[in-house]
Amino acid sequence: MAQFVTLESARFHPGEQAIQRLLGIPNQDNPTHQGLAPHLGRRVAISPLVAFGALDRAGRPWATAWGGEAGFCRPVAPGVLGVRATADAEHDPVLQELFAGDENEMGEGEGTRRRIVDGAMVTPEGGKLMAGLSIDFETRDRVKLAGRMAVGTVTRAGVGPGLGDLQLAFRVEESLGNCPKYINKKRVTPHTSGEPPRLVTGEGKGEEGSAGRGVPLPDAALDLIARADLFFIASKHGAHSMDVNHRGGAPGFVRVLQNDDSGETPGTATTTLLYPEYSGNRLYQSLGNLHEDPLAGLMFPDMATGDVLYATGRATVLAGDEAAALMPRARLVVRVDVDEARFVRGGLPFRGAVVDYSPYNPAVRRLAGEQKTEDATSTKTTATATLAGKTRLTPTVSRYAFRLSPTDGRNARKAWRPGGHVTLDFSGELDEGYAHMRDDDPQSLNDDFVRTFTVSRPLEDGDDGFEITVRRHGPATRLLERWNTRVPLELPVLGFGGSDGFRMAAGADGRLQVFVAAGVGITPLMAQAAGVLAASARLRVLWSLRAEDLPLAADVLEATRDLGAVTRLFVTGGADGKEEARAAVRGLGADVVARRIQAADVLAEGEKGARKYYCCAGPDLMKTLLKWVEGEEVAYESFEY
């Protein structure tokens, strides 16, 4: 049968157009199918999970997810999906809004308390507005659906406590296949439990109290958000249509901006969530809805435990400087002020085990308030750095010297202290512009190509530049490594900075300062060591590195007098051909041990209460180090390679 598409349906609505103009998106046609395209119906039928959205009586969207195995939602007639699932009949807001009626409407009382009548056939006049998103986490396939519930019923008898068997006919008016980006692979299975779902009703941090609006969120809900690698979001386009979609990322990509009792009205609570919008298909259908009507429903499923957080509130789309003010270096951010929430223990009818995270997931961006003032990165250029020279120290580690522009370079450096960093913008050299998918380099789609490096040589008053010592890892360092210095490379400098907590004491307070590093984690010490040793401060250095990096160790120890005498190296990897480098390091006074660093090595330095540890290593070793020195005074920085 031919599919007739009206001119109106081929256009984006005003909200979508407004977001596209805001972000400079070229004009395009709306690819949404009218009705349920047959090939999309087949994709829905093999998906084990579908997220659904509906509106409550106040017009607020809510989202949920049902399923557990393929086939529970499938085409049963042209343009119609049949849904048969078991779900939480007590606390699931979408199930409640689709099937519950007022008691007085049912002829069973004078109040307006809403409830689901067991076995009653619900046939809303004209259909009940709803939307869906089928999703197969294992294949990363998803299909968006919008339309109306034509008829449905819920059976409570004979089902587990708190649950209901639902059946409904979903008349699909719009459908659209979506891309697989940011979907983390999971193996989804159905799950039933003898325990009924339980609403956590605490209005404070605990789990006791009256239900109320459900905000501020209890600690368990905050923990779920902190671990979440996905959520579903429901929005609406007036009374005409709804949208449900998936948002995914690395665990913790959604941040909690506020969760307390400081609402505008005395006695009211405030919960605000923030999440970054990543590069997608540039249709901006969800954001377009939110631009016109800011109401949004969010659903956070914990597939490991079956717990779930439902929330509804007002969303604000922030772009450019407004986004970066709350989440530094983010280009597009959505803020959700939660109006009402429900955290339910054991509310999901399915479970899911992580198989693999999406290669497109960017690193988690923290809020401005979660970062130390010195670490906040400006988006404005404060100086220009020109690559002046480079020295390869090991097969993967090089030292790069930069010259600062004379007009503003000196002012830009005022924020720097020994152990601090410089932030450089490589986007002019590396940003290739928009691409929908880029499987050969998935991380580049959301990369702003801004990089922060530790300054590895003290900056003196007469200096007109700085040095960094880095390992080749990613596009920025690969660019530096291959650049021909006979051709000028000019990079905008976004600022100098650093954390006060990671600067070592040059005074003689009597405590032993123990610096524990792995690989290029030695760089924060390189600009501090001379000053610390000159002040007769007590210092010990424990440095773990691969044998191939021994020339780096020789370079660092040779640059700072007497540093070798307080350094112990833990060298791993093959020693073939490294005898000369090992001898050079020993000749500079260092103790060299051919094994991995151990807890006893770290704890043997000084005495507890009379020492402070400074640790700089990759994430895995850092976790181990922090366990070893638990209960001690520790300052630490981590890097991702």
Side-chain angles (χ1 to χ4, degrees), residues 348-633:
L348 297 180
F350 54 84
R351 295 293 186 268
V354 175
V355 176
D356 189 23
Y357 289 105
S358 170
Y360 283 90
N361 288 344
V364 171
R365 293 208 184 281
R366 296 182 298 164
L367 300 177
E370 297 175 299
Q371 302 181 29
K372 297 175 181 175
T373 303
E374 301 90 336
D375 292 337
T377 300
S378 170
T379 58
K380 297 180 180 179
T381 301
T382 61
T384 300
T386 302
L387 182 62
K390 58 183 180 179
T391 304
R392 176 169 290 189
L393 302 173
T394 80
T396 59
V397 178
S398 297
R399 180 172 61 243
Y400 301 95
F402 289 87
R403 183 177 62 255
L404 284 169
S405 54
T407 54
D408 45 16
R410 188 165 297 178
N411 289 331
R413 293 186 341 184
K414 287 182 178 179
W416 184 84
R417 298 291 184 274
H421 61 245
V422 61
T423 301
L424 303 175
D425 184 355
F426 289 80
S427 61
E429 299 292 337
L430 296 173
D431 194 342
E432 298 179 10
Y434 173 77
H436 182 206
M437 302 289 289
R438 192 173 285 154
D439 289 342
D440 60 328
D441 188 11
Q443 287 291 302
S444 67
L445 293 193
N446 293 282
D447 198 337
D448 59 6
F449 299 106
V450 172
R451 299 292 188 268
T452 297
F453 301 106
T454 301
V455 176
S456 56
R457 179 176 62 82
L459 300 182
E460 307 296 342
D461 290 340
D463 286 349
D464 65 351
F466 61 91
E467 290 181 357
I468 60 174
T469 302
V470 298
R471 190 182 302 280
R472 181 183 67 241
H473 177 82
T477 49
R478 286 198 298 268
L479 175 76
L480 291 174
E481 185 181 67
R482 68 173 183 264
W483 195 270
N484 184 344
T485 54
R486 289 179 292 182
V487 179
L489 172 62
E490 296 183 344
L491 299 172
V493 177
L494 301 187
F496 289 84
S499 170
D500 281 329
F502 208 70
R503 285 200 283 273
M504 305 182 75
D509 64 356
R511 288 188 304 170
L512 176 66
Q513 299 179 95
V514 185
F515 194 98
V516 186
V520 292
I522 198 68
T523 53
L525 177 66
M526 292 169 65
Q528 301 188 74
V532 172
L533 292 171
S536 300
R538 300 174 63 207
L539 173 66
R540 283 289 291 166
V541 179
L542 306 178
W543 187 2
S544 173
L545 78 170
R546 299 193 293 261
E548 67 178 30
D549 288 336
L550 280 169
L552 168 64
D555 183 79
V556 171
L557 299 179
E558 189 173 16
T560 303
R561 182 179 177 183
D562 297 329
L563 183 59
V566 297
T567 298
R568 192 178 196 196
L569 290 173
F570 298 85
V571 181
T572 59
D576 294 345
K578 304 296 187 297
E579 292 81 4
E580 184 177 344
R582 195 183 299 265
V585 170
R586 286 198 173 104
L588 292 166
D591 178 23
V592 181
V593 180
R595 60 172 173 82
R596 295 182 181 276
I597 191 170
Q598 299 174 359
D601 302 313
V602 176
L603 299 176
E605 303 294 341
E607 297 180 359
K608 188 173 183 179
R611 62 192 175 194
K612 180 177 180 178
Y613 289 100
Y614 297 82
C615 303
C616 189
D620 292 338
L621 179 56
M622 183 60 69
K623 290 179 183 178
T624 301
L625 287 173
L626 293 179
K627 288 181 181 179
W628 290 348
V629 299
E630 188 174 0
E632 303 266 5
E633 186 176 1

Side-chain angles (χ1 to χ4, degrees), residues 294-307:
L295 300 182
L298 277 61
M299 184 261 199
F300 293 85
D302 186 337
M303 295 193 187
T305 66
D307 298 341

